[in-house]
Amino acid sequence: MQGKSMDKFFANLHLVLAVGLAAAIALIAYAHPDPSMLANYVLRWLHVFFGILWIGLLYYFNFVQIPTMPSVPAELKPGVSKYIAPKALFFFRYGALLTVVTGLSVAHVTGYLVAALTLAPDYRLIGIGMWLALIMAFNVWFLIWPAQKKALGIVEADADTKAAAAKTAMIFSRTNTLLSIPMLYSMTNANFG
């Protein structure tokens, strides 16, 4: 009986995520019992979680899917383009959005939002990381996603438009891969109070 319960639990991604979220918040509350700092710690954790989701999918697309698709037999490509890519792009876009929202929220709650965005001397490195992330999120929502909708046939487009859209999506996805490298450095090495 216990095996079936565990199978049912782990088969439900939303339940696993909810329990993981509850466990993380409980750990944060235990490790940092100061209630005035709880929002800051939860937002930081969520920022990292959504950032991993976003950048992990960015790297999946660029390191795995884009280079592999030319070698996938034509009859198997719809498995990726109709089922895997749209789902991955959903988590990719919302991972980007929630990374930005939680990151800006951390900066606001901690009191350095304006200083970072204006590249004040003590916040220049985190500010550069924030601006790179904002550019990348813009690319996701306003360049990559509209192009992918055409390339994947989510919206009506002729063959030439689909091919051009696939190229646009790839170029801006690679642009984001490029920008992610200095962005990650900026985010992980910003040293301020």
Side-chain angles (χ1 to χ4, degrees):
M1 187 66 169
Q2 186 177 15
K4 289 185 184 204
S5 296
M6 293 300 284
D7 290 348
K8 189 174 182 178
F9 172 76
F10 286 113
N12 185 333
L13 176 61
H14 297 294
L15 187 56
V16 169
L17 290 173
V19 171
L21 175 62
I25 291 172
L27 179 60
I28 292 166
Y30 172 76
H32 306 286
D34 180 357
S36 68
M37 293 296 292
L38 186 61
N40 182 23
Y41 289 122
V42 170
L43 285 169
R44 284 178 188 274
W45 173 80
L46 287 171
H47 179 61
V48 171
F49 175 83
F50 291 124
I52 290 169
L53 178 65
W54 176 20
I55 301 304
L57 284 167
L58 174 69
Y59 291 169
Y60 159 76
F61 288 128
N62 283 277
F63 298 169
V64 178
Q65 187 171 309
I66 293 170
T68 305
M69 284 304 285
S71 65
V72 173
E75 68 273 9
L76 299 177
K77 288 183 191 255
V80 174
S81 62
K82 291 185 189 247
Y83 300 100
I84 295 171
K87 187 71 147 184
L89 285 163
F90 172 84
F91 288 105
F92 177 67
R93 331 192 275 287
Y94 284 96
L97 176 65
L98 293 169
T99 301
V100 168
V101 168
T102 56
L104 293 174
S105 297
V106 166
H108 173 71
V109 166
T110 310
Y112 65 85
L113 179 62
V114 172
L117 289 175
T118 58
L119 303 177
D122 289 345
Y123 297 92
R124 190 165 289 140
L125 191 56
I126 193 71
I128 290 168
M130 290 168 70
W131 278 109
L132 289 171
L134 289 168
I135 292 165
M136 291 169 61
F138 177 90
N139 289 346
V140 167
W141 279 93
F142 299 104
L143 299 167
I144 296 169
W145 176 234
Q148 284 288 17
K149 287 192 290 188
K150 292 175 190 166
L152 295 173
I154 295 170
V155 298
E156 199 68 31
D158 61 44
D160 289 341
T161 302
K162 283 183 179 185
K167 183 176 181 181
T168 297
M170 187 274 296
I171 288 170
F172 283 100
S173 186
R174 291 285 165 85
T175 299
N176 276 8
T177 299
L178 183 152
L179 294 176
S180 74
I181 298 166
M183 182 271 300
L184 288 171
Y185 171 79
S186 297
M187 293 295 185
T188 58
N189 288 283
N191 214 0
F192 48 87

